[in-house]
């Protein structure tokens, strides 16, 4: 190796030059396009811990290194989420009909560059993009874009304009006993959600930062009448809040059937591959979320199929197929994707809801095929007549005995399980009755029938359905009547759901804008 020595005009000693050149080549460590700070860190950590980093920095600055590296590093690290006034640019970012993730990312990058250039230091977006493209590692797999963001982590920073309710802050962490959603916990969550009414918040997000495929997003409800009433009050609150501000749920773990009504009380539900819900067996709260199951599923008979299935587990693919989930994000990408969605939710009104939805649609991917869609023809043939009251559950069982398939045999197992058969009869009767009721009436029936069922599950389904459901919801929930203002389903939307053909020539967008008007 040739000797490196000092030349005229050089400020570095021969010893320094030999040390800097002898022990390091950039390409050997894949640092050809690294920043000055990255090269210094590598040199001092792996080559010579005793090196004078200041002298090394001065030497590196004499080399042909792009000066803009550090500018781009500062730009990437800048906290735009809390930058004063940056959220005012978000409406412009999401003012597009194109919900393509790549296009929205470019628009967001352009908005950030504009803000940074105007408020922080001179910055050229086109030069930045050219540098990123040149320095980005080339993918070796054509499908790498599906998991490119998997290594990203959440910033962990909360936004001033988004009320984030983390269920992990309120749920107990039992060691020896099963985790339950208690009355006290429901009340604390309710109090936290009420904060979203404050003017500073544009949207509310419900998350659980302590979930996986086994730890629940929402655990089973405590078997207590007061806890059940508190849960119904929470659902009412969410529906009221969602009328004025968007409420988004990131359901990142299993949800118990007794508490699924909380998730269904919001208009924007994002699930992950860890999400699941099963309605069987639920005997303490057999009619949980009755209104949603009876009114929101598009295809006739689907609710009966799900409610009576002995061991069906609904995952994100089924949830999305049923129209109950609006987006799906792989759990490994959830943290970084959630940051981007919540940043969009900080967009000021009236563009908040539109920006939020476009953001999570851009982050969403295909959740996979739905088990329910495979059996849709059979569901409409066998289960729709039961849902419509044309046939009884017993007649359905008789028909399925001639239909020799694996899932049909599971239904036939109802004959041998009297306890589960009683649950199925009750659910079928309740679904039929709830189909033509307003939300408040269905909630009252759910509460009253559940309490009657808890006391005596041997009562016939028709007797339970006709029991104290006539009580007013305000009395059942012990809430002053003037304070109970529950948004009912639009009557035109209800008629459309029953007979879409009658509304073929009507502008459905106008129907969705209909709001309940109190004429009293």
């Amino acid at each position: 190796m040739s000797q490196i020595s000092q030349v005229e005009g050089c400020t570095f000693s021969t010893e320094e030059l030999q040390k800097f050149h002898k022990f390091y080549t950039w390409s050997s460590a894949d640092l050809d396009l690294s920043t000055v700070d990255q090269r210094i860190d590598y040199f001092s950590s792996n080559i010579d811990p005793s090196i004078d980093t200041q002298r090394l920095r001065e030497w590196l600055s004499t080399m042909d290194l792009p000066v803009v590296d550090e500018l781009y590093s500062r730009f990437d690290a800048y906290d735009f989420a809390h930058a004063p006034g940056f959220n005012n640019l978000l409406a412009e970012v999401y003012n597009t009909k194109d919900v393509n993730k790549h296009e929205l990312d470019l628009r967001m990058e352009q908005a950030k560059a504009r803000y940074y250039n105007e408020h922080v230091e001179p910055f050229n977006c086109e030069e930045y993009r050219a540098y990123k493209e040149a320095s980005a590692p080339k993918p070796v797999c054509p499908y790498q874009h599906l998991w490119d963001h998997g290594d990203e982590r959440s910033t962990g920073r909360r936004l001033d304009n988004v009320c984030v309710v983390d269920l992990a802050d309120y749920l107990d962490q039992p060691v020896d006993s099963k985790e339950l959603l208690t009355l006290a916990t429901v009340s604390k969550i309710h109090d936290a959600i009420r904060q979203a009414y404050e003017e500073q918040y544009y949207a509310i997000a419900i998350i659980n930062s302590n979930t996986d495929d086994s730890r629940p997003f929402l655990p089973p409800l405590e078997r207590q009448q007061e806890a059940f009433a508190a849960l119904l009050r929470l659902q009412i609150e969410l529906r009221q809040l969602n009328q004025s501000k968007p409420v988004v749920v990131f359901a990142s773990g299993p949800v118990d059937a007794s508490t699924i009504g909380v998730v269904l009380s919001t208009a924007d539900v994002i699930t992950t591959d860890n999400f699941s819900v099963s309605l069987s067996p639920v005997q303490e709260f057999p009619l949980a979320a009755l209104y949603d199951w009876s009114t929101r599923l598009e295809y006739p008979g689907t609710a009966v199929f799900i409610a009576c299935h002995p061991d069906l587990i609904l995952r994100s693919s089924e949830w999305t197929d049923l129209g109950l989930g609006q987006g799906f994000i792989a759990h490994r990408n959830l943290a970084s994707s959630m940051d981007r969605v919540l940043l969009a939710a900080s967009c000021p009104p009236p563009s908040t809801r539109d920006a939020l939805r476009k953001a999570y649609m851009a982050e969403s991917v295909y959740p996979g095929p739905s088990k329910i869609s495979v059996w849709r023809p059979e569901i409409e043939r066998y289960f729709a007549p039961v849902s419509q009251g044309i046939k009884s559950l017993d007649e359905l069982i008789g028909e399925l005995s001639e239909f020799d398939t694996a899932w049909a045999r599971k239904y036939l197992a109802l004959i041998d399980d009297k306890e589960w058969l009683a649950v199925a009869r009750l659910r079928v009767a309740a679904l039929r009755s709830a189909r033509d009721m307003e939300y408040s009436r269905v909630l009252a029936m759910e509460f009253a029938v559940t309490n009657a069922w808890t006391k005596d599950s041997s009562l016939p389904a028709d007797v339970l359905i006709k029991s104290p459901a006539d009580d007013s919801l305000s009395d059942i929930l012990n809430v002053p009547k003037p304070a109970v203002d529950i948004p009912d389903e639009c009557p035109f939307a209800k008629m459309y759901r029953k007979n879409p053909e009658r509304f073929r020539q009507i502008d459905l967008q106008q129907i969705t804008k209909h709001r309940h008007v109190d004429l009293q």
Side-chain angles (χ1 to χ4, degrees):
M1 183 175 181
S2 58
Q3 184 75 11
I4 298 175
S5 58
Q6 187 184 42
V7 295
E8 185 177 355
C10 179
T11 61
F12 298 94
S13 66
T14 298
E15 181 183 4
E16 286 177 320
L17 291 174
Q18 289 177 348
K19 181 178 293 187
F20 295 160
H21 283 278
K22 181 179 180 181
F23 295 106
Y24 195 72
T25 57
W26 308 128
S27 58
S28 65
D30 295 326
L31 292 175
D32 295 294
L33 296 173
S34 62
T35 65
V36 171
D37 287 335
Q38 288 172 330
R39 297 188 181 200
I40 291 176
D41 288 342
Y42 183 87
F43 201 108
S44 60
S45 301
N46 299 278
I47 307 301
D48 187 352
S50 64
I51 196 74
D52 185 340
T53 56
Q54 181 58 37
R55 292 293 287 166
L56 177 59
R57 180 182 294 276
E58 293 173 5
W59 177 70
L60 288 171
S61 66
T62 67
M63 301 182 64
D64 187 22
L65 295 175
V67 180
V68 294
D69 278 359
E70 295 184 2
L71 168 63
Y72 295 158
S73 296
R74 292 194 297 273
F75 174 77
D76 291 336
Y78 189 76
D79 184 9
F80 288 96
H82 293 88
F86 175 74
N87 63 329
N88 293 323
L89 301 178
L90 295 177
E92 181 181 335
V93 172
Y94 292 99
N95 184 23
T96 174
K97 294 181 179 179
D98 190 357
V99 193
N100 177 274
K101 176 172 171 54
H102 176 69
E103 177 63 25
L104 287 180
D105 284 348
L106 289 178
R107 294 171 69 92
M108 178 65 76
E109 186 177 78
Q110 188 173 4
K112 289 181 176 180
R114 172 183 160 191
Y115 181 93
Y116 196 83
N117 180 63
E118 293 177 356
H119 299 279
V120 184
E121 59 182 318
F123 189 84
N124 187 295
C125 186
E126 295 304 320
E127 292 178 359
Y128 171 71
R129 288 177 178 174
Y131 170 77
K132 275 207 318 181
E133 184 176 349
S135 59
K138 305 303 179 185
V140 295
C141 172
Y143 299 102
Q144 184 170 333
H145 66 284
L146 295 177
W147 56 81
D148 267 346
H149 301 291
D151 293 331
E152 297 181 14
R153 294 291 182 267
S154 170
T155 60
R157 295 188 288 262
R158 300 294 174 87
L159 300 175
D160 295 335
N161 302 118
V162 181
C163 179
V164 178
V165 176
D166 189 348
L167 300 179
D169 295 338
Y170 307 99
L171 294 172
D172 297 328
Q173 312 295 327
V175 178
D176 300 322
S177 60
K178 186 177 181 181
E179 184 175 23
L180 292 174
L181 190 64
T182 64
L183 171 60
T185 303
V186 175
S187 300
K188 291 177 183 177
I189 295 173
H190 198 165
D191 290 341
I193 287 174
R194 284 197 185 99
Q195 296 178 13
Y197 284 105
E198 296 178 15
E199 188 175 351
Q200 73 179 81
Y201 294 124
Y202 302 153
I204 178 174
I206 301 176
I207 69 172
N208 189 331
S209 59
N210 190 24
T211 61
D212 52 34
D213 57 351
S214 58
R215 187 165 185 81
F217 178 80
L218 272 173
L221 181 65
E222 179 184 21
R223 188 172 180 176
Q224 184 185 19
Q225 181 173 326
E226 291 78 7
F228 187 33
L231 189 73
L232 296 182
R233 287 195 292 271
L234 174 60
Q235 294 176 35
I236 294 172
E237 191 80 65
L238 287 171
R239 290 176 188 264
Q240 290 175 323
L241 179 60
N242 197 70
Q243 287 192 321
S244 57
K245 299 181 180 183
V247 181
V248 59
V249 174
F250 293 90
S252 54
V255 179
D256 189 78
S258 62
T259 52
I260 193 62
V262 174
V263 174
L264 289 171
S265 295
T266 64
D268 300 281
V269 179
I270 315 301
T271 62
T272 73
D273 35 318
N274 288 340
F275 170 82
S276 65
V277 61
S278 172
L279 300 192
S280 168
V282 182
Q283 296 172 14
E284 290 84 357
F285 305 95
L287 303 184
L290 176 61
Y291 178 80
D292 298 284
W293 291 120
S294 62
T295 62
R296 291 181 59 180
L297 305 189
E298 178 181 359
Y299 296 96
T302 306
V304 172
F305 174 79
I306 295 172
C308 298
H309 200 296
D311 59 359
L312 177 65
I313 298 177
L314 301 176
R315 302 193 185 278
S316 291
S317 52
E318 289 77 38
W319 205 250
T320 304
D321 179 50
L322 293 170
L324 302 177
Q326 288 65 50
F328 170 79
I329 299 173
H331 190 80
R332 68 190 302 273
N333 297 333
L334 180 62
S336 56
S337 293
M338 196 185 323
D339 277 351
R340 289 187 282 271
V341 173
L342 295 184
L343 177 59
S346 69
C347 176
S351 302
T352 310
R353 199 180 299 268
D354 183 60
L356 168 68
R357 289 178 174 172
K358 287 178 178 175
Y360 70 62
M361 287 174 65
E363 297 293 328
S364 297
V365 296
Y366 175 57
S370 166
K371 299 190 294 285
I372 292 179
S373 62
V374 174
W375 294 106
R376 188 154 286 149
E378 287 76 14
I379 291 174
E380 292 189 10
R381 177 181 176 183
Y382 293 101
F383 293 86
V386 178
S387 175
Q388 296 162 351
I390 299 174
K391 293 182 180 179
S392 67
L393 185 60
D394 291 329
E395 289 175 310
L396 169 66
I397 294 174
E399 288 183 337
L400 293 182
S401 63
E402 301 175 2
F403 192 65
D404 190 22
T405 65
W407 67 267
R409 286 192 292 271
K410 289 181 179 179
Y411 273 92
L412 295 178
L414 291 173
I415 300 175
D416 299 325
D417 189 341
K418 293 182 179 180
E419 196 171 15
W420 176 243
L421 181 59
V423 174
R425 291 187 193 282
L426 177 62
R427 286 179 173 171
V428 169
L431 286 169
R432 288 174 179 172
S433 298
R435 186 177 54 190
D436 300 319
M437 290 183 180
E438 299 295 343
Y439 175 66
S440 58
R441 296 283 297 164
V442 176
L443 216 59
M445 182 174 71
E446 178 183 336
F447 184 82
V449 172
T450 298
N451 289 332
W453 169 269
T454 303
K455 296 174 182 177
D456 187 358
S457 59
S458 65
L459 290 173
D462 56 346
V463 174
L464 287 166
I465 295 299
K466 292 179 181 178
S467 61
D470 289 337
D471 294 348
S472 69
L473 186 65
S474 57
D475 292 338
I476 291 175
L477 298 184
N478 194 25
V479 178
K481 198 164 187 177
V484 179
D485 180 21
I486 303 173
D488 292 329
E489 181 184 16
C490 165
F492 293 105
K494 177 172 284 190
M495 286 188 285
Y496 171 78
R497 176 168 48 78
K498 292 181 179 179
N499 187 2
E501 293 299 319
R502 294 177 55 191
F503 292 82
R504 178 174 294 181
Q505 305 301 324
I506 295 180
D507 185 353
L508 297 183
Q509 293 300 321
Q510 293 301 316
I511 291 180
T512 61
K513 295 177 182 178
H514 175 80
R515 291 292 181 267
H516 173 72
V517 178
D518 189 358
L519 300 178
Q520 296 181 348

